[in-house]
Amino acid sequence: MIIEALIGITFLAALVVMLAPDEYAGKLAFALSLLPVVGSLYMWAGFDAGGNALMAGSIAYQTQLDWLTVAGYDLQWFVGVDGISLPLVVLSTVLSSLAIVSAWTPIDTRQSQFYGLMLFMEANLLGVFTALDFFLWFVFWEAVLVPMYFLIGVWGGPRRKYAAIKFFVYTNIASLVMFIGFMALVFNLPVGSFGLPEITQSLQAGELSSFVGLDPATLKLAAFAAMFAGFAVKVPVVPVHTWLPDAHVEAPTPVSVMLAGVLLKMGTYALLRFNFTMLPDVATRPLVATVIAAIAVISVIYGAMLALAQQDLKRIVAYSSVSSMGYVILGLIAYTGLGIGGATFQMVAHGLISGLMFMAVGVIYNVTHTRMVGDMSGMADRMPITVGILVAGAFGYMGLPLMAGFAAEYFIFQGAFASTVIPSAPLFTAASMFGIVIVAGYLLFAMQRTLFGEFSLETDYEVRRAHFHDVAPLAVLLLCTIALGVAPNIFFEMITDAIEPVVAVVGGGA
């Protein structure tokens, strides 16, 4: 029952913090957030499961209880983890605690409500990554939107209401499209519950029936397209990415950390769980694979080009996320062990590095009150530790060896290059690799303009060294990034165990 304890404690912590006085809320929220961190690390240390939870593999820390029956379908409390979901559970708890610490300086109004909503969001994220019943999963999936809407809309920048509404509308419509696509499959399968393993196994056995004149193959394609479109908005990929920069720019720094570090992974995680695990026969059709690979490469290149054109440091990092998620999509559609394994590893690596980058930009903004590249220079002289960690994180983004970003991209490129699913796979892989050059271009340009050279600042604020509690989360994230780069098997071994059955269905290789 550890998953129930993990989620329940986090919900309870959110309620306690909500009721606490503002002056104690930040410290109390951090203290209580350490409980889920300890719980997730305990799960990781004791993890002993093989295979994919949706494909008759063993499920770690499983609980399956009947809840109620609606229209002949059993709704269940069904939770558990495998090698795909557990790394994301650990990422969620660690990043949430660090994001709460990073909020101590910038958040000075309605603090108890802010920290309570952060913990409420964390609890629902844990539900998304552990739920194995679709109805339960969908409740958590939608519930994540509520705290994020208020965190942006109440504590955000000047255009916070516009950004919050745009985020909510985009993702809600996408969820509706996804829901329709998935239910079209369920209602035409001989299943008695919304359990994801049961639905997956029924689809793999070819038990889907025709629906309103659509033969099973066509119905699968339509459902795949609907689910892909819904999840693609959450990732996001080009061209449904426009809500992301607005949300990041207006969101306070801790919220941007969670948005880039964890919420975007909801989309890629769901794509792997639903589209690429349940419907591999659709994803591996040459035309479908070509379209998805093209979307991935376009997202990598276009996202990087957009970042190159920005002057706001937050927008630069935001568009970088669009580019990085393109690599995840490419790895998934490769259908090789290294491809899908690398894509899953990239979810964790990007969560750490993007969180570090947003935090570092936030620390600089707290001191200078500007994020514009042209408004400052020579920050390294005044904030050497913060700048040093920011530079290290940027090199991690560029794929510096012995950092998590390099390991993830290496796995993805190796897997994609060897793919037999993507037509002309080497060409798509080579095109995506060009994105690394653009990433280096815009990051080096931004750092050279803002961090080095003679000191100058367009604002009237005095530049001082950051507080210890501002720098400490950056150092922790940097150490985690290096640790995963040096020893990727911290997570990669359990990831490969979980994706082997997915690859085996389509006859993929290493």
Side-chain angles (χ1 to χ4, degrees):
M1 302 290 283
I2 187 171
I3 293 176
E4 289 81 359
L6 202 66
I7 297 173
I9 287 172
T10 312
F11 273 125
L12 182 60
L15 178 61
V16 170
V17 171
M18 282 266 193
L19 299 175
D22 273 2
E23 58 265 33
Y24 304 116
K27 307 297 190 299
L28 179 61
F30 172 66
L32 293 176
S33 73
L34 293 178
L35 296 175
V37 173
V38 172
S40 66
L41 292 177
Y42 173 82
M43 290 170 63
W44 168 71
F47 180 78
D48 182 20
N52 189 295
L54 271 59
M55 303 179 71
S58 60
I59 305 172
Y61 309 109
Q62 174 184 350
T63 304
Q64 188 172 5
L65 300 172
D66 289 336
W67 183 8
L68 54 93
T69 301
V70 177
Y73 291 92
D74 294 328
L75 304 185
Q76 304 170 318
W77 175 267
F78 187 9
V79 294
V81 293
D82 62 4
I84 293 171
S85 52
L86 183 55
L88 295 172
V89 169
V90 176
L91 174 69
S92 300
T93 59
V94 171
L95 210 54
S96 294
S97 290
L98 298 177
I100 286 171
V101 176
S102 74
W104 287 358
T105 297
I107 303 301
D108 55 8
T109 59
R110 304 171 71 172
Q111 296 176 50
S112 60
Q113 296 173 32
F114 178 88
Y115 292 110
L117 286 171
M118 288 285 286
L119 289 167
F120 181 71
M121 179 171 61
E122 179 187 0
N124 286 296
L125 286 168
L126 295 175
V128 169
F129 295 131
T130 58
L132 294 173
D133 176 272
F134 177 76
F135 183 81
L136 179 65
W137 175 87
F138 191 72
V139 169
F140 285 125
W141 174 273
E142 289 294 280
V144 170
L145 303 181
V146 178
M148 181 58 71
Y149 172 82
F150 286 109
L151 288 167
I152 297 173
V154 176
W155 289 273
R159 300 176 72 241
R160 58 186 178 273
K161 292 183 179 179
Y162 166 77
I165 291 172
K166 187 174 183 180
F167 161 78
F168 195 81
V169 170
Y170 265 64
T171 52
N172 237 344
I173 292 175
S175 294
L176 176 61
V177 173
M178 174 273 295
F179 184 85
I180 293 172
F182 184 78
M183 296 310 290
L185 292 176
V186 174
F187 290 153
N188 292 280
L189 288 170
V191 294
S193 76
F194 289 105
L196 297 181
E198 181 182 359
I199 292 169
T200 302
Q201 291 157 31
S202 182
L203 285 167
Q204 297 289 331
E207 297 174 346
L208 186 68
S209 59
S210 300
F211 176 66
V212 292
L214 297 177
D215 61 85
T218 306
L219 177 57
K220 280 186 177 182
L221 178 61
F224 184 97
M227 291 192 294
F228 186 90
F231 296 138
V233 172
K234 185 78 77 174
V235 172
V237 298
V238 176
V240 289
H241 66 285
T242 57
W243 64 268
L244 183 66
D246 291 321
H248 272 309
V249 168
E250 299 305 323
T253 295
V255 179
S256 288
V257 169
M258 293 303 296
L259 179 57
V262 187
L263 264 74
L264 303 190
K265 312 311 177 291
M266 290 169 58
T268 49
Y269 170 79
L271 279 172
L272 174 54
R273 284 299 201 202
F274 290 79
N275 289 69
F276 294 100
T277 299
M278 293 183 179
L279 298 171
D281 53 329
V282 177
T284 54
R285 296 180 190 181
L287 179 59
V288 175
T290 301
V291 170
I292 294 175
I295 290 173
V297 172
I298 291 170
S299 295
V300 169
I301 303 298
Y302 188 64
M305 293 295 289
L306 287 173
L308 187 62
Q310 305 305 311
Q311 293 295 313
D312 185 318
L313 287 174
K314 240 189 174 185
R315 278 190 175 271
I316 290 174
V317 182
Y319 280 117
S320 298
S321 293
V322 176
S323 182
S324 295
M325 291 300 96
Y327 289 124
V328 176
I329 303 300
L330 182 65
L332 293 178
I333 193 59
Y335 269 106
T336 58
L338 285 174
I340 299 182
T344 307
F345 193 84
Q346 170 75 335
M347 296 182 206
V348 180
H350 178 263
L352 296 172
I353 298 173
S354 64
L356 188 158
M357 295 291 286
F358 274 114
M359 277 190 197
V361 170
V363 171
I364 292 174
Y365 177 77
N366 292 340
V367 174
T368 64
H369 293 262
T370 181
R371 296 189 304 262
M372 303 308 293
V373 171
D375 288 350
M376 52 184 155
S377 65
M379 297 302 297
D381 290 337
R382 306 298 175 92
M383 305 178 70
I385 298 176
T386 302
V387 167
I389 295 176
L390 174 59
V391 171
F395 278 109
Y397 235 131
M398 297 178 212
L400 185 72
L402 300 183
M403 299 187 79
F406 171 81
E409 290 172 2
Y410 174 79
F411 295 146
I412 289 172
F413 293 148
Q414 281 281 83
F417 191 86
S419 174
T420 58
V421 170
I422 307 172
S424 304
L427 293 179
F428 281 107
T429 307
S432 69
M433 293 175 71
F434 181 68
I436 297 177
V437 179
I438 308 175
V439 169
Y442 64 70
L443 287 177
L444 291 173
F445 171 76
M447 288 190 298
Q448 186 272 328
R449 290 285 304 276
T450 59
L451 306 181
F452 305 108
E454 185 178 348
F455 173 77
S456 68
L457 184 65
E458 293 298 322
T459 62
D460 296 328
Y461 293 89
E462 179 184 356
V463 176
R464 51 169 175 74
R465 295 196 178 191
H467 297 297
F468 174 78
H469 65 253
D470 288 330
V471 177
L474 300 178
V476 172
L477 285 175
L478 180 59
L479 290 175
C480 290
T481 302
I482 295 172
L484 278 185
V486 174
N489 271 343
I490 290 173
F491 285 139
F492 194 66
E493 189 172 355
M494 67 173 68
I495 289 171
T496 53
D497 285 344
I499 58 90
E500 276 179 4
V502 181
V503 175
V505 169
V506 297

